[in-house]
Amino acid sequence: MSSTTLAPRRAPAAFVGVPVALLSSAVFGTSGSFGKSLLEMGWSPGAAVAMRLSGAAVVLLIPALIALRGKWHQVRDNWMTIVLFGLFGVAACQLFYFNAVQTLSVGVALLLEYLAPVMIVLWFWLVKRHAPRWLTIGGTLVAIVGLLLVLDLGGARVDLVGVLWGVAAAVCLVVYFFITARQNDDLPPLVLAAGGIVVGAVALWAVVLSGLMPLKFVFSEVHLGGVAMPWWISLTGFVLLSTVAAYVSGIYAARALGSKVASFVSLTEVLFAVLWAWLLLGELPALIQIAGGALIVIGVLLVRVDELKDPDFADESAMVAEAVPAAHERPEEQPSEKAGV
């Protein structure tokens, strides 16, 4: 059996996975506040994300190299998974999100990004021909209504470009959930996180240095929690908490829980992000947007409940294992070929 074949989730792993997933959501939730503090100081989104990934790559590289001693086949056999994770789950997802944060509040941008679970359902419906049941349809409609409230079409100014960036981040988050939930005993979470972040950092620097996106740094004071402090404090939290701790714990939790439950628990990141934005930036969405966010969460919960109740619904990870195999995986050999070996 291939090392990437899905194994049943063990109860102890799932039990430990929930608090780890909550920890991941809590530290991921700080990224909007740390990142926006740098943007408000004058940094460009490309500069903020490139420095975030570069710092995280430096921190993770040595532990990953130690873990890879004598096991370099882990990288060779899974290079496609690492590259896709780095390009979409790390670089593009972060860059799109922080482009959205430039014109939207942290909470609103994150709520748009967390339409990803609904997109997963639509992907299965359109691509895998797994028609949703009535509860899934209802949850999707509730989430769409919530999205309209989050946009506050009749009140606050809506920046269409910011909304499009947020939706693009949601698409990348779908890729993140699929790849991180994929069971692979040959690719430890630390190695996947380090490899993906290195790939993401290289991709981001290539984009900004080519002139496709602006690269602007400002080294002055940032304001967090109403207190002025050196810029490097915000960047350090951005690297160590929002990136290193968040990605390593997030990959572990997704593998322990599976993509369904992991994406469900990850919805708490919205709550953590709003809390951090309030504490660190003094920023809180309007009441109608908070109500819309609640509807998005309720809609996604309905979708998840329906999926877990459906005995015929296959785990997303298995689908992605078919669509994005590791580089060393090949189709099953025919009996005649095996006999000739």
Coordinates of all heavy atoms in Angstrom, one line a residue, residues 161 188 273 284 292:
V161 N -12.6 45.5 -5.4 CA -11.3 44.8 -5.5 C -10.9 44.1 -4.3 O -10.4 42.9 -4.4 CB -10.3 45.9 -5.9 CG1 -8.9 45.3 -6.0 CG2 -10.6 46.6 -7.2
P188 N 6.5 14.3 7.0 CA 6.1 14.8 8.3 C 5.6 16.3 8.2 O 6.0 17.0 7.3 CB 7.4 14.8 9.1 CG 8.3 13.8 8.4 CD 7.9 13.9 7.0
A273 N -9.5 36.1 15.1 CA -9.0 37.2 14.3 C -9.7 38.5 14.7 O -9.1 39.5 14.9 CB -9.2 36.9 12.8
L284 N -13.3 46.7 14.9 CA -14.4 45.8 15.0 C -15.4 46.0 13.8 O -15.7 47.2 13.5 CB -15.2 46.0 16.3 CG -16.0 44.9 16.8 CD1 -15.2 43.6 17.1 CD2 -16.8 45.2 18.1
G292 N -23.7 39.1 9.6 CA -23.4 38.3 8.3 C -22.4 37.3 8.6 O -22.5 36.1 8.1

